[in-house]
Structure formats: structure tokens, C-alpha cells
Amino acid sequence: MKLQEHQGKELFKRVGLPVSDGYVASNPQEVEELARKLGGPVVVKAQVLVGGRGKAGGVKLAATPEEARARAGEILGMAIKGELVKRVLVTKAVEIAQEFYLGITLDRSEQMPVVIFSTAGGVEIEEVAKTEPEAIFRFHVRPLEGPHPYQIRNLLFKARIDRGIQGQLFGIFQKLYQAFSEYQANLVEINPLALTPAGELVALDSKFIIDDDALPLLGELAGWRDSEGEGPQERAARKAGLNYVKLNGNIGIIGNGAGLVMATLDMVATLGGRPANFLDIGGGASAEQMEQALKIVLSDPQVEGLFLNIFGGITRCDEVAQGLIEAQRGLQVDKPLVVRLTGTNEEEGRALLRKNGVSPVAEMEEGARRIVELIG
Ligand code: GDP
Ligand code: MN
């Protein structure tokens, strides 16, 4: 579960990380009042779950409450990477002398959390990794031990951090790790971690992704899911209990079993196609699930065609075919559809599909090739 910036900052506060005061608002009038309450210059920030808000014009400084109102008027209602801005965070503006980056995420290949720090903060860390790899420092953390003080000190030394702020930064590393482990995160990020001219460090942004499987252990946090930030497809899939991940392409992919769907994405991509999503309908693949899955994928305006890759194991292929036909009838699919059907009772299943105007294929590669040719 991705948290909004203000939610992440709330968790930062709970572990004692320094953040500047702020409030959330959903209309310009409110923003003006809050800016007056905060006093001095403020920053008005779009609360959306996508990154790069600054570049997209979703983060703006305002010197006066009236100006804050005007900036809020511009930001509220704009779309950032397709996500509508419904709320903004108004925070006290902080003067910046230097911007750092600090993040902790899981390094799956090492099977350990990794702490990443950069003296070139503010911009995306992927950019820094490309253009200035020598400005990135990292160390791995053994989960049962937590970060050792010497690891942090060693990093601060290598990054040539000024003595005057080493103590402060040291505490910030420890507290961010505390937030990461206490709230069972897959990723926490402060970018920028700003150094003020007065020598104080403040977290100006937060990125926080909590492991969904840990939510039942985290009490009230489970209720923090911002379903407004979710796309309509994601919401529908979550409600239907389907595993759905939106991607950027134009070929909708549906399959049964996560491994099969992953393999399908790879195959389509290898053949030059661009998958629009990951959607695993699970083992059952009933008519109802099939209808839900088709509905979800077809409601994505980027989808120009569909590839269904079904392996009939426990569920027989003729049942799957029947489900698909019923679903198709209910939905009136008017986009190219390629179906690969194999497994138990495959002959019956394919015959059923043919009778209903869908010509199935037997091999995954053949199916992937066909949909790529159709959509490109
Ligand atoms: P992002 O673009 O989505 O990562 O949003 P950020 O919260 O990181 O804001 C983008 C940029 O706005 C930051 O990198 C800062 O340079 C700037 N910014 C954000 N808050 C402040 C602030 O309080 N004072 C100043 N001077 N700049 C800020
Ligand atoms: Mn940022």
C-alpha cells in the first residue's frame, strides 16, 4: 500500500523524524486559512500517489496566504500522470541550503534491506545513479540486527558529511530504519532531506510503501488506504479479489496463475508487444471471474486488444471456454481477442470457442505473436 505524502510524514513524526508543520485541504479557501495559521511562506503540494509532482507543477511555493490560495486553485483539479489532484498539503516552507536523498528498500537479490544515501538529493535517484554514481552510498542491513552504528558512521565518512551535522544525520538514519521495520515497509524514502542554512535537517517529502501482507498487523494503518488514489481498475480488481497490476502498454493480459501471467508478459514483451497489465484470475477461472477480469481490463482506455492465456488444470478447459463465452456475451467485446487454451478437456474447450466465433491457439508463443501482430 502506497501512502500519500502527508500519511508518510505522519509516520515519520511518530518515530521522531523532523518534518515541517502542515495540513491537508481540498479547496483554495481552506488553503488560505491554513497558510495564515502556519504563518510565513508555505508550499502547496498535490497529494497524489505518483512521483515527480514538482516537475509536473504540483508543488508550488507561496509567499502569502492569498498567493497560497491562488496556487491551490491551480493545483487542485489538475491531473498528474493521469491522477486527479483532489487534495493538497500545505506546509511551512523551509529554506534549503543542500538536498540529500535517504531511502531504505528491500534488496531482493541479497535478501536484506539496503540503505541508500546520496548527497545529490532532490532529483530522482535513478537519474543520479546514471549521471553521478559516485554520489550514491549504500549498505545492507541484517534484519535481525538492524543497522550497526559503524555502518552509518562509515557511510557518513565516505560521503564526506560535515561534522556539524553528522550527529543529526546519524539519528535520522536510525529513525528511518525504525519506521521501515516498525511499519513493515517495502520502501521508505526522504527526497529531499533538506539541510537549512541554520544547519537543521528536515524531511521535505516522504515516500512510503507498506507491505500489503503486513496490514492486518498494523491496526489503524489498514484503514489508511487511499482508494481515491487508486485507479478504477485497481479498485475493481481489489474488490473482486483479483491480482491486478497496471502497466503502460496496450495489450491486456489475463491468465490463471501468477507464474503463467508473468511468463505471458515476458513473452509478449520479447516479441515486441507492450503489456497493459498483469491480471491473474487464479485457479478457479469461473465464468464470473472471467467476466470480472474482462470487464476490468477492457475498462482501461489504453487497452487495444487482449491476450488470454489459460491453462486448464483443476478447472477444465470446456468450463473456462463456457465462462469466457458467457462473459463475452455480457460485455460485447469489440477489441481483438486472442485465446490460448490448453490442458484438461482442451479439445472440447476449443471446439466450444470456435463455435462461438473465437479461434483459439494451443501454444503461448503463437498466441503472443498473434496479438502482437494485431496490435503492434
Ligand atoms: P516530488 O517532485 O513529487 O518529489 O515532490 P517534492 O515534495 O520532493 O517537492 C519537489 C521539490 O520542491 C523538492 O525537490 C524541493 O526542491 C522543492 N520543495 C519542496 N518543499 C520545499 C520547501 O519547503 N522549500 C523549498 N525551498 N523548496 C521545497
Ligand atoms: Mn520528492
Side-chain angles (χ1 to χ4, degrees):
M1 174 174 79
K2 242 187 195 177
L3 298 186
Q4 296 284 4
E5 176 192 1
H6 71 272
Q7 298 174 317
K9 282 183 167 172
E10 168 60 30
L11 297 185
F12 282 0
K13 258 197 250 169
R14 291 188 193 178
V15 297
L17 282 165
V19 295
S20 60
D21 293 341
Y23 303 98
V24 177
S26 52
N27 68 65
Q29 178 60 40
E30 246 181 297
V31 170
E32 181 176 336
E33 286 156 21
L34 292 171
R36 194 158 287 127
K37 188 160 139 190
L38 285 165
V42 296
V43 188
V44 182
K45 311 181 74 175
Q47 295 300 285
V48 285
L49 294 174
V50 292
R53 295 166 301 164
K55 264 189 224 155
V59 176
K60 286 185 174 145
L61 273 160
T64 64
E66 293 73 26
E67 203 188 322
R69 180 195 184 123
R71 298 289 89 80
E74 293 157 14
I75 295 171
L76 285 161
M78 74 185 280
I80 301 181
K81 295 181 188 165
E83 204 185 313
L84 186 69
V85 182
K86 293 186 176 158
R87 274 167 299 172
V88 290
L89 174 66
V90 194
T91 60
K92 247 188 154 112
V94 169
E95 256 191 272
I96 304 178
Q98 198 182 347
E99 292 181 312
F100 298 119
Y101 169 97
L102 179 61
I104 305 173
T105 186
L106 289 171
D107 182 342
R108 292 178 193 277
S109 59
E110 292 292 329
Q111 305 184 347
M112 279 189 275
V114 58
V115 176
I116 303 168
F117 175 81
S118 175
T119 45
V123 278
E124 278 170 44
I125 197 70
E126 291 82 2
E127 255 331 284
V128 184
K130 268 186 238 154
T131 57
E132 243 184 301
E134 68 285 352
I136 296 182
F137 304 86
R138 68 188 91 210
F139 63 83
H140 286 93
V141 178
R142 293 186 188 277
L144 296 179
E145 297 170 14
H148 286 282
Y150 81 84
Q151 292 182 293
I152 304 174
R153 280 199 301 267
N154 191 27
L155 183 147
L156 297 179
F157 175 75
K158 280 195 192 146
R160 298 169 185 274
I161 295 303
D162 205 68
R163 281 224 174 170
I165 61 162
Q166 279 189 10
Q168 256 189 92
L169 247 182
F170 186 95
I172 288 174
F173 272 69
Q174 286 186 315
K175 284 170 185 154
L176 189 64
Y177 190 81
Q178 188 191 337
F180 176 81
S181 66
E182 223 161 82
Y183 299 112
Q184 311 250 352
N186 288 333
L187 178 130
V188 288
E189 211 177 74
I190 309 176
N191 190 27
L193 172 60
L195 177 65
T196 67
E200 279 185 59
L201 289 160
V202 189
L204 290 194
D205 191 7
S206 90
K207 189 168 174 186
F208 218 118
I209 304 177
I210 292 179
D211 186 342
D212 280 334
D213 292 329
L215 283 174
L217 305 172
L218 295 173
E220 44 146 1
L221 291 200
W224 282 20
R225 189 184 292 280
D226 187 352
S227 46
E228 282 179 24
E230 247 176 355
Q233 288 86 27
E234 268 120 359
R235 195 173 327 144
R238 190 163 49 77
K239 285 198 180 135
L242 298 168
N243 244 320
Y244 173 90
V245 181
K246 166 108 177 92
L247 302 168
N248 283 328
N250 55 358
I251 300 176
I253 308 275
I254 298 172
N256 60 336
L260 182 66
V261 181
M262 293 290 277
T264 312
L265 296 179
D266 284 349
M267 183 67 81
V268 166
T270 303
L271 294 172
R274 292 180 301 118
N277 67 282
F278 168 102
L279 206 174
D280 170 18
I281 56 174
S286 64
E288 210 177 304
Q289 274 170 303
M290 188 65 86
E291 180 161 356
Q292 287 289 354
L294 278 172
K295 209 188 248 172
I296 288 166
V297 175
L298 288 169
S299 69
D300 175 352
Q302 271 183 284
V303 168
E304 292 167 27
L306 276 163
F307 180 27
L308 268 85
N309 190 1
I310 304 293
F311 180 82
I314 298 166
T315 316
R316 302 188 324 257
C317 285
D318 50 329
E319 277 178 39
V320 174
Q322 195 57 47
L324 176 61
I325 291 159
E326 282 168 30
Q328 218 187 346
R329 249 183 229 141
L331 292 168
Q332 292 165 350
V333 183
D334 55 359
K335 290 172 181 164
L337 177 69
V338 174
V339 184
R340 180 256 187 159
L341 196 57
T342 195
T344 315
N345 286 4
E346 57 188 28
E347 284 314 324
E348 291 90 327
R350 289 190 202 130
L352 257 172
L353 286 181
R354 266 184 228 110
K355 231 196 293 173
N356 286 275
V358 179
S359 62
V361 299
E363 297 297 329
M364 169 156 84
E365 185 169 348
E366 187 189 345
R369 186 158 284 131
R370 192 181 289 184
I371 193 70
V372 172
E373 275 166 14
L374 286 168
I375 307 300

